[in-house]
Amino acid sequence: QVQVVESGGGLVQVGGSQSVSCSVSASIFSINDMGWYRHAPGKQRDLVARITRGGITNYAYSVKGRFTIARDNARNTVTLQMSSLSPDETAVYYCYASANVWGELKEYWGQGTQVNVSS
């Protein structure tokens, strides 16, 4: 069984920086991809950044150069560092993880953490 728990988030000023992190508990399964998605009001849930077990990253175009994703495979954690934040990036940020369960890919989501970018 896999548990996904986010931490961080909250209020940040326009142009400011914030980090969100995620801890994934997978008793006997290996974690493959990890990442972050966000769901803004009136919008669909969109990719922010993903990282493979081998460290290959994939960023949404709008966050390239401003956000950095990293993971610790030993601890099954992933961290997203965000900078130069804009109000339209106010959203619930969700941690994502995939696991190989007896050869079958399973996907898991955290409960989401709110990030508010204010003026």
Side-chain angles (χ1 to χ4, degrees):
Q1 191 70 22
V2 175
Q3 303 294 325
V4 182
V5 180
E6 298 118 331
S7 62
L11 183 64
V12 62
Q13 296 294 311
V14 173
S17 300
Q18 189 172 32
S19 295
V20 290
S21 62
C22 178
S23 178
V24 179
S25 298
S27 58
I28 63 171
F29 306 116
S30 297
I31 303 299
N32 295 325
D33 289 3
M34 305 181 75
W36 290 91
Y37 292 69
R38 63 189 176 192
H39 189 187
K43 305 290 185 180
Q44 65 181 191
R45 185 181 297 192
D46 292 324
L47 169 73
V48 180
R50 285 175 64 143
I51 183 168
T52 70
R53 185 172 183 84
I56 300 173
T57 58
N58 181 30
Y59 294 93
Y61 179 82
S62 63
V63 310
K64 289 181 180 178
R66 298 188 297 114
F67 290 14
T68 301
I69 189 169
R71 65 186 287 172
D72 185 335
N73 290 339
R75 291 182 166 86
N76 284 334
T77 59
V78 61
T79 299
L80 182 69
Q81 300 177 1
M82 304 178 287
S83 64
S84 301
L85 286 162
S86 299
D88 62 359
E89 294 176 303
T90 293
V92 177
Y93 284 68
Y94 293 92
C95 183
Y96 165 89
S98 65
N100 182 23
V101 182
W102 295 104
E104 182 178 355
L105 180 67
K106 299 291 186 180
E107 297 181 330
Y108 303 91
W109 296 90
Q111 83 287 351
T113 184
Q114 180 73 45
V115 175
N116 289 321
V117 185
S118 69
S119 61

